[in-house]
Amino acid sequence: MRLIPHPSTQPTVSPPPGAASTTEHARPAPPNEARGNSKTSHPSTSSRSARATFSRLVSSAIVTALLLTTHTADSAQASTHVVALATTVDQVFTNIRNWLVGILAGLATVFLTVGGVRYLLAGGDPGETEKAKSAFRNAAWGYGLAALAPLAVEILRGIVGA
């Protein structure tokens, strides 16, 4: 192993008489100046500009949200009619069934997707493969419950007497 001494510990050599001084050229120019790049910025300057950009983005998002909520509140106060009401009890149970099937099938699809991604990224790791298989089992349970949701609503309808 070869040790390289630090430049400050190297002995200085004086130039021969009549020669130009080489001390100005002893230190190489920083990389940005050597390439002629005029965008030399200090790390804290770039982080300050990033923070400023982020704060502008957050403030504009807040202003937009406030404008949208006040516009929505004004339009909600102006309208007095009700958009959707179930006219019969059968419609209520149909809506409940549709919501249950949609929510359960959506969650099962999420579990199926997570399981698939985990299985693809497992790379042969037995622990990750087991987690993926568990997500697949949970997806199967979710799809099974979604298929049985109409039966559960029919049982509820029978209890209520509709």
Side-chain angles (χ1 to χ4, degrees):
M1 183 160 89
R2 195 174 107 184
L3 296 176
I4 301 172
H6 192 269
S8 64
T9 60
Q10 291 181 353
T12 58
V13 178
S14 61
S21 174
T22 58
T23 56
E24 294 140 9
H25 302 291
R27 201 175 350 158
N32 288 336
E33 291 174 14
R35 283 186 239 133
N37 189 354
S38 62
K39 290 185 177 181
T40 51
S41 63
H42 196 267
S44 64
T45 307
S46 63
S47 65
R48 265 188 257 137
S49 66
R51 278 188 238 132
T53 304
F54 180 72
S55 65
R56 275 190 233 119
L57 180 69
V58 169
S59 62
S60 64
I62 290 171
V63 167
T64 304
L66 286 175
L67 288 175
L68 286 175
T69 54
T70 56
H71 176 68
T72 307
D74 291 341
S75 63
Q77 290 173 355
S79 64
T80 57
H81 66 281
V82 178
V83 176
L85 274 180
T87 56
T88 64
V89 176
D90 286 334
Q91 266 186 329
V92 171
F93 284 115
T94 301
N95 291 342
I96 290 172
R97 182 195 66 214
N98 292 342
W99 275 95
L100 274 176
V101 169
I103 290 171
L104 290 172
L107 282 174
T109 303
V110 167
F111 276 105
L112 184 67
T113 304
V114 167
V117 169
R118 275 195 162 168
Y119 193 77
L120 285 174
L121 297 178
D125 183 17
E128 284 297 316
T129 305
E130 282 304 313
K131 289 179 183 178
K133 288 179 182 178
S134 173
F136 287 143
R137 279 190 292 274
N138 291 338
W141 275 104
Y143 284 125
L145 289 175
L148 291 177
L151 177 65
V153 171
E154 287 300 319
I155 292 171
L156 183 62
R157 187 179 290 186
I159 291 173
V160 171

